Amino acid sequence: MNAGKMPLKLNTSGSVLFLLLICSVKLAPAGYREDSFPSPDSELQQSLQKAVEAMNLTEPLAERRLAVSLVDVTDAQNLRYAGLNDREMMYAASLPKICVLVAGFERILHGQLAYTPALKEMFTRMIRFSSNFDASCAIQTVGFDYIAKVLTSPKYQFYDATQDGGLWLGKAYGGPGDYWKRDPLHHLSHGATSLQVARFFLLLEQGRLVNPQYSAEIKEILSKPGLHTKFVKGLEDRPGYQIYRKSGTWSKWHADAALVEGADRKYIAVALMEDPRGGEIFPNLIKKMDSLIGPR
């Protein structure tokens, strides 16, 4: 059974009320989204398009089964961005576990949750090893409603019903009390657009995810990936690289997102794909993306 896209009958009036309620919560002044996220760079855009075509991925790209975002942050004053199908919201498996981190640290920031060693260990297992048990416990600790409020808040707008959706976490990963709400636009339980995931990692890199102190904590939790698959597998022969990453896999859906730091380059790479071969494609895809970054 397709746990991500199973049809669901919705009460239209209830969905509208739900959106109004979660969008009314303000964690920061409106307009925070004016965060200098770079517009597409024509040169990088063309290079990314050619790289994907060279991998014979034209068909899944045309069928909107592949979405890619790449942000060159090597020069913090001259960010470059390229995206393909980057507003296409897709099932993203475990990747939206990053939503628990930002919401959890917002609770911590506002004194609503204690940042204990046990909580940090739970967050770490959820991210580095993609532990479903720890993810479900963390979701219950932070709260579904609060996670939705953070994702849709003016501070972040990671999910925007007027902008094709975005990042969404509407279901835990097993255990009692598992089900909550699918996203209002696409009815996905765990969804993402590559653009909004790229924004998440850019805010992290800039120290603007929650605040500088907790951005550093989140970045540390995203370090030292425990699963050597997809992007990590593709870059494992590059000595000196630091990778801050979250991936996801379920059935034919594959997702990976990372902030990659090397001696002469720094970039954010995101890929979402609906294809059984995704796990084999992503290591080569990240190599192609890596080759597009660095001194010009």
Side-chain angles (χ1 to χ4, degrees), residues 36-49 68-72 78-87 194-195 198-199 202 296:
S36 301
F37 191 83
S39 299
D41 177 89
S42 59
E43 180 184 346
L44 188 60
Q45 187 78 24
Q46 292 175 10
S47 298
L48 181 61
Q49 180 81 37
V68 183
S69 285
L70 180 62
V71 191
D72 184 352
N78 184 29
L79 303 179
R80 299 194 302 150
Y81 176 73
L84 305 173
N85 290 334
D86 57 357
R87 292 182 182 271
S194 63
L195 174 63
R199 283 189 65 246
L202 182 58
R296 302 161 64 192

Side-chain angles (χ1 to χ4, degrees), residues 105-271:
F105 278 98
E106 282 288 349
R107 271 211 184 277
I108 293 165
L109 176 67
H110 291 92
Q112 300 168 350
L113 184 62
Y115 189 40
T116 64
L119 183 64
K120 181 174 182 177
E121 289 172 8
M122 182 167 63
F123 282 167
T124 302
R125 290 190 298 266
M126 172 183 72
I127 296 298
R128 292 184 186 173
F129 302 97
S130 206
S131 165
N132 285 340
F133 175 80
D134 287 290
S136 293
C137 291
I139 290 167
Q140 296 299 325
T141 299
V142 177
F144 273 123
D145 284 315
Y146 194 82
I147 293 170
K149 290 171 185 176
V150 169
L151 296 178
T152 57
S153 68
K155 179 175 181 178
Y156 295 114
Q157 294 186 38
F158 285 136
Y159 184 93
D160 187 340
T162 68
Q163 296 291 330
D164 305 307
L167 260 174
W168 187 263
L169 179 63
K171 188 177 186 293
Y173 291 85
D178 189 41
Y179 185 71
W180 188 59
K181 284 184 181 290
R182 297 171 187 261
D183 90 276
L185 282 182
H186 307 284
H187 306 169
L188 293 171
S189 55
H190 309 119
T193 62
S194 63
L195 174 63
Q196 291 301 333
V197 177
R199 283 189 65 246
F200 175 99
F201 277 88
L202 182 58
L203 291 174
L204 174 71
E205 164 60 18
Q206 295 173 333
R208 298 171 61 198
L209 203 62
V210 187
N211 67 11
Q213 175 189 351
Y214 289 138
S215 280
E217 283 291 324
I218 293 172
K219 188 174 181 180
E220 199 276 327
I221 290 170
L222 287 160
S223 69
K224 305 180 184 69
L227 303 177
H228 291 260
T229 58
K230 300 186 181 76
F231 285 180
V232 174
K233 182 178 180 180
L235 296 176
E236 61 187 0
D237 62 346
R238 314 279 164 112
Y241 274 30
Q242 298 295 321
I243 303 174
Y244 306 89
R245 174 255 199 157
K246 184 70 194 84
S247 65
T249 302
W250 188 80
S251 185
K252 60 182 178 179
W253 286 274
H254 297 268
D256 212 340
L259 168 64
V260 181
E261 297 179 353
D264 63 348
R265 69 196 62 200
K266 183 186 294 187
Y267 62 92
I268 295 159
V270 184

Side-chain angles (χ1 to χ4, degrees), residues 45-60:
Q45 187 78 24
Q46 292 175 10
S47 298
L48 181 61
Q49 180 81 37
K50 290 178 181 178
V52 170
E53 291 173 353
M55 293 182 64
N56 297 318
L57 296 176
T58 306
E59 183 175 327

